[in-house]
Amino acid sequence: MIDDIFKKPEHVAVIMDGNGRWAKRRGLPRVFGHREGAKAVERTLKIAVELDIKWLSVFAFSTENWKRPKEEVDAIMSLLVEYINTKVPELVRDNIRLRFMGRRDGLPEMIRESMDEGEKATEHCSGLNFVVAINYSGKAEIVDAVNKILRSGVDEISENTFKSYLYIPEMPEPDLLIRTSGEKRISNFMLWQLAYTELYFTETLWPDFDEEEFLKAVYFYQSRERRFGKVPG
Ligand code: FPP
């Protein structure tokens, strides 16, 4: 287990990649990979709770993912609705607050309703904050923030004020970003918030991500010296 004398990340962000390849290697349709991916989300949530991590955010569907074949988009949307509808009672039991970030406009009505209900039902939970990014991109979030600022009539802002216009203003910046499947890219995830985040890349495909992998990423984080631009002291 993680030793408390070492710093623990307060916010772990995850780019869950490799579902399609996981399925392809087994000669299965891609959607099977996403189903297994949902199980990996479950495992990750459980470990995050055990480690007493305060924020876990996952990139579930990007604004670019609409370009995938319609059957795959529909399957991911159905999986997300099914996940929210069936898991909310467990999230409440485990004191996990569910939140979403991304552009709600353009999402099918059925998923928007589930998202609203899931957020409302877990609003009072004070344990882990579980953030699911759906129809999300970092550039879109920045543009949406700028448009809100323009509409509010403010003519000059600081970095701190800018932060208050992001989708979840109170969300701390990630301490650790995990990306699975060997790709070493940020792929438009939390461009503003990742400025000083430690980046951890693993070859493991997302459906195979487990407790051991999570702990490896946390140990990596604990071995890093975070200087935020200062000299070592
Ligand atoms: C990336 O793998 C994965 C996605 C775009 C979808 C992620 C969605 C889930 C894991 C569904 C469950 C989510 C929750 C929150 C319950 P890929 O398809 O890009 O894989 P590839 O790079 O191997 O093709």
Side-chain angles (χ1 to χ4, degrees):
M1 254 307 134
I2 294 294
D3 196 327
D4 271 345
I5 62 165
F6 293 109
K7 62 193 167 163
K8 217 166 30 189
E10 184 189 7
H11 179 178
V12 177
V14 187
I15 301 180
M16 311 180 284
D17 197 9
N19 294 350
R21 272 163 286 168
W22 185 94
K24 194 164 175 232
R25 282 180 198 173
R26 288 161 178 78
L28 297 168
R30 293 175 59 83
V31 61
F32 280 72
H34 297 314
R35 285 210 165 269
E36 283 303 307
K39 292 183 194 162
V41 171
E42 280 297 282
R43 288 196 293 273
T44 307
L45 256 182
K46 194 163 167 276
I47 310 154
V49 170
E50 278 169 22
L51 296 181
D52 196 23
I53 285 167
K54 296 289 173 231
W55 291 79
L56 176 74
S57 54
V58 297
F59 203 0
F61 193 86
S62 76
T63 51
E64 287 84 26
N65 285 153
W66 296 107
K67 294 181 198 134
R68 293 186 177 210
K70 186 175 178 313
E71 314 86 81
E72 185 174 346
V73 170
D74 289 349
I76 295 176
M77 289 296 154
S78 303
L79 193 57
L80 288 168
V81 171
E82 184 188 318
Y83 176 84
I84 301 165
N85 293 349
T86 58
K87 294 293 169 191
V88 162
E90 288 170 36
L91 297 179
V92 172
R93 181 197 65 199
D94 297 337
N95 198 23
I96 298 172
R97 181 166 178 183
L98 178 63
R99 296 159 177 259
F100 296 96
M101 64 175 186
R103 285 186 174 159
R104 303 240 174 161
D105 297 349
L107 281 173
E109 178 70 20
M110 70 166 183
I111 186 156
R112 273 190 282 142
E113 275 175 15
S114 293
M115 288 160 73
D116 290 344
E117 283 165 21
E119 284 188 327
K120 208 162 181 318
T122 60
E123 210 170 26
H124 63 286
C125 297
S126 57
L128 174 75
N129 287 281
F130 178 39
V131 181
V132 182
I134 300 180
N135 200 20
Y136 176 88
S137 91
K139 285 186 182 177
E141 181 176 24
I142 291 169
V143 167
D144 287 352
V146 171
N147 281 322
K148 277 186 239 164
I149 292 162
L150 292 174
R151 283 196 296 271
S152 74
V154 175
D155 57 11
E156 196 180 321
I157 57 157
S158 65
E159 288 184 13
N160 262 338
T161 321
F162 185 81
K163 194 171 176 284
S164 69
Y165 289 89
L166 294 172
Y167 292 140
I168 305 180
E170 66 275 32
M171 181 177 76
E173 292 174 4
D175 302 295
L176 171 66
L177 172 81
I178 299 171
R179 181 171 187 150
T180 56
S181 94
E183 308 293 349
K184 295 184 177 64
R185 289 190 292 274
I186 299 302
S187 296
N188 217 344
F189 195 37
M190 291 203 257
L191 296 182
W192 175 272
Q193 298 90 332
L194 291 175
Y196 283 104
T197 303
E198 296 293 339
L199 308 178
Y200 179 81
F201 300 103
T202 169
E203 294 293 322
T204 301
L205 302 178
W206 177 248
D208 293 326
F209 194 81
D210 59 9
E211 173 160 7
E212 196 184 329
E213 286 291 333
F214 198 117
L215 290 179
K216 266 195 233 164
V218 175
Y219 289 138
F220 159 85
Y221 170 78
Q222 293 186 322
S223 73
R224 308 297 302 159
E225 185 193 2
R226 301 183 79 200
R227 296 209 295 270
F228 298 97
K230 297 188 286 251
V231 291

